Amino acid sequence: MHEFNRRSLMTGLMSGALVLGLDPITKGWVTGANAAGPFDSVPALDGTLRTDAASLDAAADDFGHIVHHRPLAVLEPGSVQDVVKMVKFCRRHGIPVAGRGQGHSTNGQSQVAGGLVIELAPLSGIEISGRRASVGAGALWNTLLQATLPRGLTPPVLTDYIDLSVGGTLSAGGLGGQIGHHGAQVDNVLELEAVTGAGRLVTCSPTSRAPLFYALLSGRGQVGIITRATLRLVPAPETVRYYNLFFATLPELTAVQRALIGSGRFDYVEGQLQSQPDGTWKYMLEAVAYGATAADDARLTGDLGATSLTAADQAYYDFANRIGPIVDILKSLGEWTRPHPWLDSLLPASAVDELVAGALPTLTPATVGFSAVILLYPIDTAKLRAPLLRMPDERYAYLFSILRTASPGVADPAAMTAANLAFYETARARGGSWYPIGTLPLTPQDWKRHYGPVWPAFKLAKRTYDPDGILTPGQGIF
């Protein structure tokens, strides 16, 4: 393992590595082990630059386990200044760079062939003041929630799985069941600190450097690497009442979801489609009321027309972290390390029933695997303000997620990816969009079409803040 930092000289001497000298420009130590290639004269760092095979292999993978782009080095920053130094270094030498949180995307978005991956996990500090939290990009939402709850506070919006990094979800958007009240996670950001592609450490907000601020939120790391975010907090409930309501048909489910997210009756609204052994489907609404009890059941659910329901009281944290124990089981079964060609479609309300009904007959073990989850939940687009989080041009949209897992001997990742692309094209023709964390290889022209009217501003931001185009090439946007 090669490590280049302030301890490199002593480490090199003790390990027998030949120290060739101190680079007069960068002040970094050049050793026989690293005296070749683009990283032969790195700056002095507080953290560590790794070039060992294990580190490079890990950075050449993500949750999708399908695309593999191997970098030349991985930075574990000891400070934000390490990120600044290495982005400047890479810009000077024409080396591509990608930031990486938890690597939970599925199509190589956080990978970079022949470049530098910056692991943001070390930047994980949390400071809470009043109803604001200043959070390092590498911090997990789970960790943040555990820090805010003793103060009676919570982030307004949480993704279903909360062991994701703050910087990672803000670069994507951060969708959750609380959208009807608070929008997406990107809509609850007060300020950002980021290192631009020009190697500048910049603080921005809706009132200061607003073009950069809005190009970072849902910006897929194209204009800068988020290093810290200041987030809004709201009062947290102690308990929740969690309902699963089942409906006879898909149109009944979507109509109730749309009505509920518009009325604000529940604090959280999502849904799932569950396949049955006889080939039929169950249409399930997930709804949560903060602080409710069994005494509220009739008022909350009595007029919804569900064929059946279950209800349970939970501590708020247990509800927020409900996916964590499931993930532990999937990991124990080996499902977490298998290919995941996920698709996250955004469908207009006017076409959701037709598009989803057309897709359901194709969702078999051979096309989604044995542990797939099919999500369907409503989005009030009026609550969303981040320009780059693209939505169908209607008041209500739906996230339709096919969380495929390529079970061994059953499902082929390439065929799954082709199915994703086919559905995307069908949905796009009906006014649909997609939430780009999944497996959907697009061309630059596809991306231009995806961003539509905001493409010129996004392209200008790219040219302004990443003038040499070194940031986050894995998605092929520019």
Side-chain angles (χ1 to χ4, degrees):
M1 177 172 64
H2 306 150
E3 301 181 0
F4 312 130
N5 56 27
R6 289 173 177 172
R7 298 180 297 277
S8 292
L9 174 60
M10 186 59 66
T11 301
L13 291 173
M14 293 176 65
S15 64
L18 174 62
V19 177
L20 302 181
L22 179 68
D23 187 292
I25 298 176
T26 68
K27 310 303 182 184
W29 290 103
V30 183
T31 73
N34 68 335
F39 296 101
D40 59 355
S41 56
V42 296
L45 300 171
D46 297 316
T48 302
L49 190 69
R50 300 187 182 276
T51 59
D52 60 285
S55 296
L56 301 185
D57 289 344
D61 196 14
D62 56 25
F63 182 67
H65 307 304
I66 298 169
V67 174
H68 302 282
H69 298 307
R70 202 167 193 262
L72 293 180
V74 177
L75 173 66
E76 294 178 1
S79 65
V80 173
Q81 285 303 315
D82 281 355
V83 181
V84 173
K85 291 176 183 179
M86 287 309 299
V87 171
K88 285 183 177 178
F89 177 89
C90 289
R91 182 190 181 194
R92 186 163 63 248
H93 294 279
I95 301 169
V97 183
R100 176 186 174 95
Q102 290 296 297
H104 197 71
S105 53
T106 68
N107 201 53
Q109 289 94 325
S110 61
Q111 300 174 26
V112 53
L116 175 70
V117 168
I118 299 177
E119 293 282 0
L120 296 170
L123 305 180
S124 59
I126 297 173
E127 298 176 4
I128 301 170
S129 176
R131 292 192 177 183
R132 299 162 63 103
S134 178
V135 187
L140 303 183
W141 289 95
N142 196 337
T143 306
L144 173 60
L145 182 59
Q146 293 181 63
T148 61
L149 282 180
R151 300 169 183 253
L153 299 171
T154 179
V157 181
L158 293 169
T159 51
D160 292 343
Y161 181 50
I162 59 175
D163 282 325
L164 302 176
S165 71
V166 168
T169 63
L170 295 183
S171 293
L175 304 182
Q178 303 93 340
I179 281 178
H181 292 276
H182 301 291
Q185 287 180 328
V186 289
D187 297 309
N188 294 277
V189 180
L190 303 175
E191 186 178 85
L192 290 172
E193 175 192 85
V195 179
T196 68
R200 293 184 60 213
L201 181 63
V202 181
T203 300
C204 55
S205 72
T207 58
S208 175
R209 300 185 179 93
L212 174 60
F213 180 77
Y214 289 113
L216 288 165
L217 295 174
S218 300
R220 326 292 177 212
Q222 293 300 308
V223 302
I225 297 172
I226 296 173
T227 53
R228 178 166 288 272
T230 302
L231 308 174
R232 185 171 74 96
L233 301 175
V234 297
E238 293 184 4
T239 63
V240 307
R241 184 82 168 158
Y242 185 19
Y243 298 91
N244 289 335
L245 300 99
F246 295 89
F247 293 85
T249 67
L250 175 64
E252 288 178 87
L253 170 64
T254 57
V256 170
Q257 286 179 320
R258 197 157 52 246
L260 290 178
I261 200 171
S263 70
R265 180 187 303 190
F266 289 96
D267 297 285
Y268 165 103
V269 178
E270 288 195 4
Q272 291 187 34
L273 308 181
Q274 300 176 343
S275 63
Q276 303 302 300
D278 63 359
T280 61
W281 290 83
K282 282 188 175 182
Y283 307 101
M284 184 180 80
L285 166 70
E286 298 175 85
V288 173
Y290 293 169
T293 68
D296 299 298
D297 290 355
R299 173 180 62 85
L300 290 171
T301 67
D303 61 345
L304 298 182
T307 59
S308 63
L309 67 83
T310 63
D313 296 314
Q314 289 185 295
Y316 174 67
Y317 175 78
D318 292 339
F319 161 70
N321 191 44
R322 66 198 178 281
I323 304 300
I326 298 173
V327 168
D328 290 340
I329 294 172
L330 293 174
K331 288 180 178 179
S332 71
L333 297 174
E335 291 291 292
W336 210 243
T337 58
R338 289 172 182 157
H340 298 101
W342 284 9
L343 176 68
D344 298 278
S345 298
L346 296 165
L347 308 179
S350 61
V352 63
D353 293 336
E354 177 186 344
L355 289 169
V356 173
L360 291 183
T362 71
L363 304 183
T364 66
T367 62
V368 300
F370 288 124
S371 61
V373 177
I374 313 300
L375 302 177
L376 181 67
Y377 63 80
I379 297 171
D380 184 350
T381 64
K383 302 290 185 179
L384 305 176
R385 299 184 298 278
L388 296 183
L389 181 55
R390 304 307 299 154
M391 289 283 160
D393 190 20
E394 294 185 11
R395 169 66 187 272
Y396 297 108
Y398 288 80
L399 176 69
F400 178 47
S401 292
I402 305 173
L403 308 186
R404 309 178 194 262
T405 297
S407 303
V410 175
D412 174 41
M416 290 176 161
T417 301
N420 287 348
L421 192 57
F423 183 82
Y424 166 74
E425 293 294 349
T426 300
R428 188 191 60 79
R430 296 298 307 275
S433 182
W434 81 299
Y435 181 52
I437 60 171
T439 305
L440 193 64
L442 298 183
T443 67
Q445 187 62 31
D446 291 329
W447 283 108
K448 181 178 180 180
R449 187 171 58 186
H450 168 79
Y451 285 107
V454 302
W455 175 256
F458 193 22
K459 186 176 180 181
L460 176 61
K462 178 71 170 179
R463 199 162 53 236
T464 301
Y465 300 109
D466 183 24
D468 294 305
I470 66 170
L471 292 181
T472 320
Q475 300 168 83
I477 296 178
F478 291 98

